[in-house]
């Protein structure tokens, strides 16, 4: 879905904003604290139903107001809107019809965010990397979400039994279900990861001459002994019972990012890490059939001028709609976008004006 219009009402320091969006490149400039990132936040809310900065609602609402509203119109006249309040239920509409789940938003408006916390993919735990993997599978393998929900339901039951210190006999049927679902998840993940890995290598070669590899761990049998998850759960039952949670399974899957056989966080600069992580997420976008919305906060940060040029030149060569915030010289950045259509806004104290 390509957005053509965005309206924001009482989101953080933006009391009212109305932007006509370009179908390709949109640059938003302004001083720190002027509201640039809040515009990206508004767009992200339309895709995910929550902010990438906070899950709490009260910090998002302009001081002195009860709620905020974000509305967008697309090229084919489709509409998306969200209204959040600390005291009332969230209201989400897609084409003027109420949505019962945020997954409907995500399917309608696939969105990738490039924010300062992108480095957490490298530095944080496996759950962050797994969420990146899950984003791609959600958009490419449409039976994945239901399967993942079934797996989490069974895992929750198993962990509840562990907390009760139930005898092993009570775990046998749950372990069987968990193992079957884990194998199905692993099958989908392996198939998707193979495509993602190939695409990542291609994209990275366009952005840099860095050498980097990614690998997938399914969450059990790290030594590739051939043991089933059922057998591993049985072998580690006493340990699980002591720790009160399930240590092995699809919920422990991970993506390993390495450069020259060393962990990326150990040898690469922040700029190099950013290029790799951008390649990782852009490669995912290339595997999605729909046009994605890409939100890039402070694109030039950590990148030298050569890599800024390479990134923007690559973005210009692929499909998608880009909303980019920056404090850098917009004229220079626009020149890297080849002959693609560009719109630029200057924002000051929450008010956006065409530049």
């Amino acid at each position: 879905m390509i957005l053509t219009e965005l309206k924001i009402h009482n989101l953080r320091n933006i009391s009212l904003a109305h932007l006509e969006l370009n179908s390709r490149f949109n640059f938003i400039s302004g001083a720190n604290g002027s509201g640039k990132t809040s515009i990206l936040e508004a767009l992200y809310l339309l895709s995910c139903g929550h902010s990438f900065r906070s899950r709490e609602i009260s910090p998002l609402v302009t001081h002195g107001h009860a709620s905020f509203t974000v509305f967008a119109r697309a090229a084919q006249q489709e509409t998306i809107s969200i209204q959040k309040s600390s005291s009332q239920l969230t209201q989400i509409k897609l084409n003027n019809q109420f949505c019962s789940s945020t997954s409907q938003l995500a399917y309608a408006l696939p969105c990738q965010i490039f924010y300062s916390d992108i480095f957490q993919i490298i530095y944080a735990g496996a759950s962050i990397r797994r969420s990146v993997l899950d984003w791609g599978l959600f958009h490419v393998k449409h039976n994945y979400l239901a399967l993942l929900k079934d797996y989490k339901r069974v895992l929750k039951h198993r962990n509840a039994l562990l907390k009760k210190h139930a005898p092993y006999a009570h775990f046998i049927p749950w372990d069987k279900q968990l193992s079957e679902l884990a194998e199905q998840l692993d099958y989908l993940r392996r198939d998707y990861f193979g495509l993602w890995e190939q695409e990542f290598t291609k994209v990275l070669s366009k952005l840099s001459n860095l050498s980097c590899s990614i690998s997938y761990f399914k969450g059990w049998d790290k030594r590739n002994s051939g043991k089933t998850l059922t057998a591993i759960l049985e072998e580690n039952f006493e340990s699980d019972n002591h720790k009160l949670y399930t240590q092995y399974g699809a919920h422990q899957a991970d993506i390993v990012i390495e450069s020259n056989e060393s962990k990326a966080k150990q040898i690469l600069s922040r700029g190099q890490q950013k290029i790799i992580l951008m390649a990782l997420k852009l490669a995912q976008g290339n595997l999605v059939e729909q046009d994605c919305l890409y939100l890039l906060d402070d694109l030039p940060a950590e990148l030298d001028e050569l890599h800024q040029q390479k990134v923007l030149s690559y973005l210009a060569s692929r499909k998608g709609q880009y909303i980019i915030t920056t404090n850098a010289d917009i004229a220079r950045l626009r020149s890297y976008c080849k002959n693609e259509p560009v719109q630029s806004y200057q924002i000051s104290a929450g008010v956006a004006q065409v530049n």
Side-chain angles (χ1 to χ4, degrees):
M1 183 184 292
I2 298 296
L3 302 181
T4 58
E5 182 182 11
L6 174 68
K7 293 181 179 179
I8 305 169
H9 190 212
N10 294 333
L11 176 66
R12 295 197 187 269
N13 68 332
I14 302 177
S15 58
L16 185 64
H18 184 190
L19 285 75
E20 300 289 339
L21 298 175
N22 189 284
S23 62
R24 292 290 283 144
F25 285 89
N26 298 269
F27 287 97
I28 302 169
S29 63
N32 292 337
S34 59
K36 300 189 301 297
T37 304
S38 297
I39 292 175
L40 301 189
E41 196 171 21
L43 290 161
Y44 190 83
L45 278 156
L46 292 174
S47 175
C48 300
H50 61 82
S51 166
F52 55 81
R53 292 200 277 185
S54 173
R55 289 299 182 107
E56 295 182 36
I57 296 174
S58 56
L60 306 182
V61 182
T62 302
H63 181 69
H65 293 268
S67 65
F68 73 80
T69 305
V70 181
F71 168 89
R73 190 183 304 278
Q76 302 302 317
Q77 297 303 306
E78 307 103 316
T79 60
I80 302 179
S81 66
I82 183 166
Q83 182 178 73
K84 279 182 176 282
S85 166
S86 298
S87 59
Q88 297 180 351
L89 293 175
T90 296
Q91 294 187 18
I92 302 173
K93 289 185 178 180
L94 182 60
N95 296 323
N96 293 316
Q97 299 295 316
F98 283 104
C99 288
S100 58
S101 70
T102 54
S103 62
Q104 291 175 265
L105 290 181
Y107 281 127
L109 184 62
C111 176
Q112 285 274 34
I113 178 72
F114 300 78
Y115 184 52
S116 59
D117 68 350
I118 193 172
F119 296 100
Q120 293 301 307
I121 297 172
I122 289 176
Y123 286 96
S127 63
I128 300 295
R129 292 182 289 277
R130 199 162 49 248
S131 68
V132 177
L133 174 66
D134 288 342
W135 184 94
L137 280 149
F138 172 83
H139 287 289
V140 175
K141 306 283 186 180
H142 296 307
N143 59 330
Y144 180 75
L145 181 60
L147 189 61
L148 184 61
K149 285 181 177 179
D150 287 344
Y151 178 88
K152 288 181 176 180
R153 176 182 54 80
V154 175
L155 178 65
K156 184 178 179 180
H157 279 289
R158 189 179 195 274
N159 285 338
L161 286 175
L162 288 170
K163 289 180 173 65
K164 294 177 181 178
H165 295 287
Y168 177 68
H170 291 190
F171 286 82
I172 293 174
W174 293 108
D175 285 5
K176 183 174 183 296
Q177 286 187 65
L178 196 73
S179 298
E180 289 174 352
L181 290 167
E183 291 290 351
Q184 293 176 59
L185 284 172
D186 178 54
Y187 176 80
L188 292 179
R189 284 172 170 174
R190 283 187 183 278
D191 184 58
Y192 173 78
F193 182 81
L195 300 173
W196 185 21
E197 183 182 22
Q198 291 178 26
E199 197 62 32
F200 165 70
T201 301
K202 293 177 187 176
V203 175
L204 184 60
S205 69
K206 301 288 186 181
L207 304 184
S208 174
N209 59 2
L210 280 169
S211 174
C212 183
S213 65
I214 56 174
S215 57
Y216 162 74
F217 168 57
K218 64 183 179 180
W220 71 96
D221 193 22
K222 203 161 195 173
R223 297 180 180 178
N224 294 316
S225 65
K227 290 181 180 178
T228 64
L229 179 56
T230 305
I232 290 173
L233 291 173
E234 183 178 0
E235 287 177 7
N236 291 276
F237 172 69
E238 291 301 327
S239 178
D240 284 355
N241 204 28
H242 175 71
K243 294 184 177 180
L244 303 181
Y245 69 91
T246 304
Q247 300 173 79
Y248 301 95
H251 60 290
Q252 300 287 7
D254 197 3
I255 303 298
V256 180
I257 305 171
E258 294 182 311
S259 180
N260 297 322
E261 299 184 357
S262 296
K263 296 289 179 66
K265 65 182 178 183
Q266 296 172 342
I267 65 169
L268 298 178
S269 70
R270 293 271 290 186
Q272 290 172 321
Q273 290 175 17
K274 184 171 181 177
I275 284 292
I276 286 169
L277 294 171
M278 291 186 76
L280 201 66
K281 299 189 79 172
L282 290 170
Q284 286 191 303
N286 289 349
L287 298 175
V288 177
E289 289 185 6
Q290 293 174 265
D291 287 326
C292 285
L293 175 65
Y294 297 91
L295 311 175
L296 298 100
D297 193 40
D298 199 5
L299 171 64
E302 315 285 355
L303 301 180
D304 58 32
E305 190 169 336
L306 175 62
H307 284 94
Q308 292 173 36
Q309 180 178 4
K310 284 191 172 186
V311 168
L312 287 167
S313 294
Y314 175 69
L315 296 183
S317 70
R318 65 195 292 281
K319 64 179 184 177
Q321 183 176 26
Y322 307 98
I323 318 294
I324 302 168
T325 69
T326 180
N327 284 325
D329 177 14
I330 287 186
R332 177 175 59 82
L333 297 179
R334 290 178 67 143
S335 69
Y336 300 153
C337 299
K338 301 179 180 178
N339 295 318
E340 289 295 300
V342 174
Q343 175 68 283
S344 60
Y345 280 90
Q346 175 78 31
I347 186 165
S348 176
V351 178
Q353 296 179 328
V354 176
N355 201 353

